Amino acid sequence: MPRTRIHNMNISLDGYAAGEHVTFDAPIGGAERLFGSFDGRVIHGVDRVDDPITLDRAVTSLWGQGIGAEIMGRRKFGPQTGEWPDDGWRGWWGDEPPFRTPVFVLSHHPHPSIDFPNGTSFHFVDASPHEVLRLAQDAADGQDVRIGGGPSIVRQFLAADLIDFMHLVIVPITLGRGVSLWEGLDGIEDRFTIETVASPSGLTHQFWNKNGHD
């Protein structure tokens, strides 16, 4: 049965997974320290790098395996607010976004779909978590759907009990402020079986599997 998954969600010791104010110059909103050790080269597999295959690289590479579609929030796609400006913005990732699948961007404002030659397409929808998940599942054609973030979107899907698997990366820093992953989710851990692996790098990987998922 296809799953709804979260991968490589970096979170600080005090529970923040993004900064508060995303801008063109600060795409993570001031929480860039969360991603100081992130090696984006391996999200499509450890065969993409010549470096040693460490625990962190091996776990990070699970991001793209078996994924047929992604759902993301508007702030992950770009820093604009309100009506979409006619500025030619096509996302943070240039001409080759790493997704290579349909991506559904949650936005209250309409925007034409954007297609890239490498198989990535962005579709902008104003829908509830249940509704957009159905769209993504249809597009995924039997594969899993990844909830790509940011933390506000992840919270919505957790609150709606739609997440089957979640990989958290606990980064040994404190931010003091930002967007909390856990706000309003008291007791959410009771829905999951949680395994933890500590890396020599100082990162801690948590794997949350929904109880009772076949």
Side-chain angles (χ1 to χ4, degrees):
M1 179 178 177
R3 295 173 182 256
T4 304
R5 294 160 36 191
I6 296 167
H7 283 274
N8 305 337
M9 174 60 69
N10 287 28
I11 181 172
S12 67
L13 293 172
D14 48 352
Y16 298 109
E20 296 174 305
H21 303 292
V22 173
T23 67
F24 287 105
D25 294 328
I28 309 174
E32 285 73 17
R33 288 194 298 144
L34 280 175
F35 298 90
S37 62
F38 180 67
D39 186 351
R41 295 177 299 164
V42 302
I43 58 177
H44 288 299
V46 293
D47 58 317
R48 299 300 179 95
V49 296
D50 296 327
D51 301 301
I53 300 175
T54 63
L55 170 63
D56 296 325
R57 291 192 176 103
V59 173
T60 299
S61 71
L62 299 175
W63 176 87
Q65 296 184 20
I67 294 295
E70 169 157 329
I71 298 168
M72 69 170 62
R74 176 169 175 169
R75 290 211 313 171
K76 182 173 177 180
F77 180 80
Q80 301 90 341
T81 59
E83 296 286 345
W84 289 96
D86 186 16
D87 60 359
W89 181 257
R90 290 161 61 86
W92 301 103
W93 306 277
D95 293 331
E96 294 188 8
F99 309 100
R100 304 180 186 180
T101 67
V103 178
F104 294 86
V105 182
L106 286 166
S107 172
H108 295 304
H109 300 278
H111 190 295
S113 294
I114 304 172
D115 297 301
F116 290 84
N118 72 350
T120 300
S121 57
F122 292 104
H123 308 278
F124 300 82
V125 295
D126 184 3
S128 70
H130 285 88
E131 291 167 337
V132 70
L133 181 57
R134 284 193 292 269
L135 292 173
Q137 288 172 333
D138 289 343
D141 195 23
Q143 297 192 85
D144 290 353
V145 173
R146 182 178 54 238
I147 309 301
S152 297
I153 296 300
V154 169
R155 279 204 316 268
Q156 291 181 36
F157 279 81
L158 285 170
D161 199 21
L162 295 175
I163 300 301
D164 300 308
F165 170 81
M166 179 166 61
H167 165 220
L168 298 182
V169 185
I170 314 301
V171 183
I173 63 172
T174 57
L175 293 177
R177 60 187 300 175
V179 181
S180 170
L181 181 62
W182 303 123
E183 184 178 355
L185 294 177
D186 295 1
I188 191 71
E189 69 279 359
D190 294 338
R191 301 181 194 170
F192 295 85
T193 299
I194 304 170
E195 297 182 1
T196 300
V197 178
S199 167
S201 68
L203 302 176
T204 300
H205 298 274
Q206 290 187 348
F207 306 98
W208 296 49
N209 283 281
K210 188 174 180 181
N211 295 327
H213 188 94
D214 295 329

